[in-house]
Amino acid sequence: MNTYLVGGAVRDSLLGFPYTERDWVVVGATPQHMLDAGYTQVGRDFPVFLHPETKEEYALARTERKQGHGYTGFVVHTDPGISIEDDLRRRDLTINAIARDDDGRLVDPYNGRDDLEDRVLRHVSPAFTEDPLRVLRVARFAARYATLDFRIAEETLALMRTIVDQGELAHLPAERVWTEIERALREASPQVFIEVLRDCGALRALLPEVDALFGVPQKAEHHPEIDTGRHTLMVLEQAARLTWSLDGSPAAYPSRDPRSKAADENAGTPAAQSSERAQANSRVVFAALTHDLGKGITPEDILPSHRGHEGAGLPLVNAVCDRLKAPNAHRHLALAVCEHHLNSHRALELRPATVLKLLESIGALRDHTRFEEFLLSCEADSRGRLGFEGRPYPQADYLLKAAEAAQSVTAADVKAPGVEGKAIGEAIRQERIRRIGLLRGS
């Protein structure tokens, strides 16, 4: 019985890239061998076991045969005679088909090390097309390693187009699609994920509301980049710059806005903090991705103007979230940014009463963390324009101070003879407006 470290831990260690999980393959064993050694079996599709101490996953070496559609349409075969080379052959990319034995020696039958050095994402075998989920996985790896100048091999991109053209993406469960999208949104270059999906045709199949933005013009005075799709890619890039490293990974962009720190940074375990920050990261980038969906359905006769695109986009955001079964936290932030991002941009011009209404509408007085995420998404939108990438966003600081001023008002501040019942609520509202007005001397 031999044990091999496989997958991402081997790949990323060779790249000098951080990793947190380790996966193992066991050759020459049966399920009973593993149970006798104290491992706990998990999973129904094939034998996977948890180490009795580390709780890391150990899978028996296996082969797969395609039967049916989708990523679950496989017959899995395990046997003590299956070699590590046989097991690696079923993997998606050559850079993921490298194993390390107990002595530290590499098993690399498909030249994954060469592709790591050449910065190429290349499929292992023609069996790549049997799993449609690999389209999203390759796009996600492209987003992860874009800062290292990785590219997708042309022959692999051609297979991805074949998968799309055959309609295989329609057989993927919404939950698996969302998992891959959400993980991609956490990467340093999420815009590359969208570019790859569009290049192979998968964006039209999975996110037609986003795909519809490409080729839609905007007014050059506000958007020198003109194309709405290009603007969306730029907003994604800016969102990643503002939030990257929230999940504990080394920052690709060391200068981060302090507002991106979680309000409860010191709460919970380090692992829980990492998970919470990663979720915050993906919420901000998802809101950036969907903030302008209304521009994709603007009537042609009013282009390049997009009057009312904020409200027009709300049903589309809901449609995306419904189809992907996105979490409510992602949906709520995306809806808030879609509806109110222009008001955030105009914050310094709004009347104090309108500012208070904005704060109340986005829940800024109830949930400070979500409010910070809203501001990051809006700042990304402002900066995601050609020539505006480094432009300051003072609106965020003003709105943070406005929220603080509003929250500082208590019932004791407005207590007066005859002020009771509903009148207290109105008095608090008027005092909040007054204090917000003091911030600008109005």
Side-chain angles (χ1 to χ4, degrees), residues 227-267:
D227 187 274
T228 306
R230 184 183 179 193
H231 165 61
T232 299
L233 296 177
M234 296 176 72
V235 175
L236 288 178
E237 181 177 5
Q238 291 299 319
R241 291 192 178 195
L242 290 168
T243 61
W244 179 240
S245 85
L246 290 182
D247 61 354
S249 302
Y253 309 97
S255 299
R256 283 179 46 229
D257 192 305
R259 287 192 304 277
S260 63
K261 296 180 180 178
D264 55 350
E265 182 170 331
N266 297 318

Side-chain angles (χ1 to χ4, degrees), residues 176-329:
R176 292 299 294 140
V177 174
W178 169 254
T179 296
E180 289 298 325
I181 290 176
E182 194 272 338
R183 292 179 68 182
L185 297 180
R186 303 181 189 184
E187 303 294 356
S189 303
Q191 74 280 4
V192 173
F193 176 74
I194 299 300
E195 289 176 320
V196 171
L197 292 186
R198 184 166 181 258
D199 194 15
C200 69
L203 188 62
R204 184 181 301 109
L206 299 173
L207 289 168
E209 299 87 352
V210 176
D211 188 69
L213 298 176
F214 290 88
V216 177
Q218 303 167 106
K219 288 186 177 180
E221 59 191 285
H222 301 299
H223 290 276
E225 70 283 354
I226 306 295
D227 187 274
T228 306
R230 184 183 179 193
H231 165 61
T232 299
L233 296 177
M234 296 176 72
V235 175
L236 288 178
E237 181 177 5
Q238 291 299 319
R241 291 192 178 195
L242 290 168
T243 61
W244 179 240
S245 85
L246 290 182
D247 61 354
S249 302
Y253 309 97
S255 299
R256 283 179 46 229
D257 192 305
R259 287 192 304 277
S260 63
K261 296 180 180 178
D264 55 350
E265 182 170 331
N266 297 318
T269 65
Q273 290 177 30
S274 177
S275 176
E276 290 167 5
R277 293 178 181 180
Q279 288 292 320
N281 189 340
S282 70
R283 286 193 297 268
V284 170
V285 182
F286 181 67
L289 175 66
T290 58
H291 81 285
D292 264 351
L293 292 186
K295 291 183 177 179
I297 58 173
T298 297
E300 290 188 8
D301 61 325
I302 69 170
L303 292 175
S305 174
H306 291 278
R307 294 188 303 273
H309 75 276
E310 312 98 300
L314 297 177
L316 300 180
V317 173
N318 275 319
V320 170
C321 293
D322 289 344
R323 187 169 64 251
L324 298 179
K325 298 185 179 180
N328 284 335

Side-chain angles (χ1 to χ4, degrees), residues 129 152-165 200:
T129 59
I152 302 174
E154 284 300 322
E155 58 271 28
T156 302
L157 192 58
L159 292 182
M160 293 165 67
R161 293 184 181 123
T162 297
I163 293 172
V164 174
D165 292 342
C200 69

